[in-house]
Amino acid sequence: MTKNIAILTSGGDAPGMNAAIRAIVLAGHRYQYKIFGFYHGYNGLINNELKPLAISDVEGVIHRGGTLLKSARCKEMRSKTGVSQAVNVLLKNKIDALIVIGGDGSFNGLLAIHEQWQGQVIGIPGTIDNDIDGTDFTIGFSTAVDTALSAIDKIRDTADAFERVFLVELMGRQSGQITFNVGVSCAAEKVLSFENFNIQQEQETLEQISTQIQTAKQAKHSSFLIVIAENLWPNGSEALAKKLTSMTGIDCTLCTLGYIQRGGSPVAKDRILATKMGVSAIQAISQGKSNIMVGEQNNAICLIPLTQAVEHNKTVSPLLIDAQENILALSKQTDAY
Ligand SMILES: Nc1ncnc2c1ncn2[C@@H]1O[C@H](COP(=O)(O)OP(=O)(O)O)[C@@H](O)[C@H]1O
Ligand SMILES: O=P(O)(O)OC[C@H]1O[C@](O)(COP(=O)(O)O)[C@@H](O)[C@@H]1O
């Protein structure tokens, strides 16, 4: 039986979203489904910005960052009226299934639609933050980590040359997945993230870092890199850089990597993940599944209830945190001979 399937991308764009759209379009056509795209996220759904997606529309997109369907954050979807408008557009266009590629906010929007609409709803996790439950990785995370790492490797060169202290702020909203993984990969002298910082210990943390910087300077370490999660330090990372500068008497410079982390060509890992998830979303639709997110755990695709995907129980690997805190951190490194 033919079906009308619509896709939209929503929230922060993530490298690999195009690869997912491509996989959905190719798999959908293979099943003889009609595939459509709503442009500009939920705004485009509410405003009926719908176009059919042909196979030619997804040629030459797999290596591109961003999203060919464009993305947006849409205030209206947070109200009942907005959700009803979205549902009316789906009914008017006789859409049978809606696939949303986005983060937890976008999945909450999809859950709201599901409450009012009989069609099939499928989520695909696309966010650089990797903060979605039920999947080991989200589309875009691996590229963002590699992008940040390659930028920090360059910062390390100049930091070494000038024997400087740098703080590098990374994205992730309220999750330390990017910060911890990048921090360990670039051998940061200090990783500061939600998983190892407690606001009650602000002063104690300041004193510790300040001592570590001064000790490292004395030991003639050539540079000192602190990797810090955005939204972590009270009054912002710049305030921390200033405090450390005044406490140590050494210039501590902040470099905020920002949106560079969201762009660029997806690495192979993200293209493959996106392709598997896109194809699996169409297969799930053909099996009549709904109200689920396509995830991947231990290299196997799994279908997770959407409500579970947005629970926020995902943690950074405890092994990684323990290794960073108790073995890799500069303050823990001791020569045995
Ligand atoms: N609780 C909610 N109910 C309905 N729609 C929501 C809800 N939360 C987010 N959305 C919709 O999803 C969009 C994307 O969510 P956001 O949190 O900004 O990004 P992400 O999906 O990447 O986490 C929002 O702009 C809004 O349109
Ligand atoms: O694009 P905006 O609105 O400035 O949002 C920035 C946020 O988007 C992200 O880049 C991606 O987050 P989402 O995928 O959840 O939207 C976060 O890391 C960051 O905090």
Side-chain angles (χ1 to χ4, degrees), residues 10-12 42 73-74 77-78 103-106 108-109:
S10 166
Y42 286 120
R73 303 196 198 272
C74 165
M77 267 302 285
R78 293 178 188 268
D104 59 320
S106 303
N108 278 318

Side-chain angles (χ1 to χ4, degrees), residues 8-13 17 41-43 46 71-79 83 100-113 126-129 131-132 173 262 312:
L8 64 83
T9 48
S10 166
D13 54 294
M17 280 182 165
Y42 286 120
N43 284 323
I46 289 171
S71 193
R73 303 196 198 272
C74 165
K75 273 195 199 133
E76 288 91 326
M77 267 302 285
R78 293 178 188 268
S79 70
V83 176
V100 169
I101 310 170
D104 59 320
S106 303
F107 292 169
N108 278 318
L110 197 51
L111 281 164
I113 288 173
T127 166
I128 61 166
D129 297 346
D131 58 351
I132 307 280
R173 208 180 281 276
R262 284 232 300 253
H312 283 280

Side-chain angles (χ1 to χ4, degrees), residues 237-260:
S237 307
E238 183 70 53
L240 173 62
K242 283 191 179 142
K243 276 202 172 154
L244 287 174
T245 301
S246 79
M247 285 170 82
T248 59
I250 299 166
D251 273 348
C252 300
T253 310
L254 175 68
C255 181
T256 302
L257 286 194
Y259 293 95
I260 190 176

Side-chain angles (χ1 to χ4, degrees), residues 115-160:
E115 278 179 22
Q116 293 189 30
W117 183 57
Q118 303 297 312
Q120 291 169 268
V121 296
I122 310 280
I124 293 186
T127 166
I128 61 166
D129 297 346
N130 198 25
D131 58 351
I132 307 280
D133 290 343
T135 187
D136 294 341
F137 296 102
T138 55
I139 297 168
F141 171 70
S142 301
T143 305
V145 167
D146 281 3
T147 302
L149 187 58
S150 113
I152 293 178
D153 286 347
K154 294 179 176 82
I155 293 170
R156 176 70 87 177
D157 288 345
T158 179
D160 273 344

Side-chain angles (χ1 to χ4, degrees), residues 107 111 132-134 290-294 302-311:
F107 292 169
L111 281 164
I132 307 280
D133 290 343
S290 183
N291 204 16
I292 46 126
M293 178 198 79
V294 179
C302 45
L303 305 179
I304 306 293
L306 267 176
T307 44
Q308 192 190 322
V310 298
E311 275 175 357

Side-chain angles (χ1 to χ4, degrees), residues 276-299:
K276 285 198 233 174
M277 287 178 167
V279 169
S280 302
I282 290 294
Q283 287 169 342
I285 288 170
S286 75
Q287 292 156 7
K289 303 265 166 52
S290 183
N291 204 16
I292 46 126
M293 178 198 79
V294 179
E296 189 183 56
Q297 294 174 13
N298 301 321
N299 208 26

